[in-house]
Amino acid sequence: MRVVIAGGHGQIALRLTKLLSGDGHEVVGLVRNPDHEADIAAAGGQAAVLDLEQADADAVADVLKQADVAIFAAGAGPGSGNDRKDTVDRGAAALFADASVQAGVRRHIQVSSMGADRADTLTDDESFTIYLRAKKAAEDDLRSRDLDWTILRPGHLTNDAGTGRILIADQTGNGSISRDDVALVLAGLCTTTASIGRILELIAGDTPVTEALANL
């Protein structure tokens, strides 16, 4: 497979790149900072330097040509201002989906966030509410498109070592999940057709990833 990951220098994306490249797949990570090229190469991928806040769909579609899977794993990050939560978490996601349609890449996986459907009731933190609203808007945009999409909503992310055991379902309840295990799930979702057209929540659990995905 050829897999293109938006947000290629993110913590989950680098883990995913290592997993996929280790299995013999070609991985391209979209990054806006050329200094990040070396980290993507070290993980076994190749970098495409492109700023999703400035590029147009044509430029992104050029990178996506011949890809089998497009994965949106970008985010403005907790230190960003509220404006960038909209331009990255919503705007860049919509641009990436536009480019997928244009390039003919049907399989499209988008990393969202647990609670995106409850932004106005979940928190009193204005910044976090804006972030969740942006994620929900990106979900709504993707769902409207003629793509083989899957939206993944991980719970609270940790840097704990992955266990390879998860709970993934339309609704899981609150919980946490290691970035290692999110990457493992994303790798599996690339070829899990039962996840197409679904919004799936993900937290740590007791079921091995391969079995959990096979039972979707």
Side-chain angles (χ1 to χ4, degrees), residues 5-43:
I5 306 172
H9 193 254
Q11 295 184 65
I12 291 171
L14 287 173
R15 288 166 166 85
L16 177 58
T17 298
K18 188 173 182 179
L19 286 172
L20 290 171
S21 63
D23 284 339
H25 301 296
E26 180 184 359
V27 184
V28 178
L30 284 176
V31 294
R32 64 190 180 98
N33 186 344
D35 292 341
H36 293 158
E37 291 183 72
D39 290 336
I40 292 176

Side-chain angles (χ1 to χ4, degrees), residues 34-79:
D35 292 341
H36 293 158
E37 291 183 72
D39 290 336
I40 292 176
Q46 55 184 298
V49 179
L50 198 65
D51 187 345
L52 291 176
E53 292 178 89
Q54 303 295 329
D56 60 21
D58 289 344
V60 183
D62 281 343
V63 179
L64 281 165
K65 283 177 183 173
Q66 321 250 318
D68 299 290
V69 184
I71 300 176
F72 185 84

Side-chain angles (χ1 to χ4, degrees), residues 112-134:
S112 187
S113 176
M114 186 85 77
D117 55 339
R118 295 173 286 134
D120 293 321
T121 60
L122 190 65
T123 174
D124 292 329
D125 182 334
E126 180 188 15
S127 183
F128 191 53
T129 298
I130 290 170
Y131 163 77
L132 289 177
R133 285 175 180 164

Side-chain angles (χ1 to χ4, degrees), residues 20 32 41 45 49 62 70 101 105 113 123 136 143 158 172 179 188 207:
L20 290 171
R32 64 190 180 98
V49 179
D62 281 343
V101 172
V105 183
S113 176
T123 174
K136 181 59 165 59
R143 291 172 63 196
T158 76
T172 62
R179 289 178 171 86
T207 307

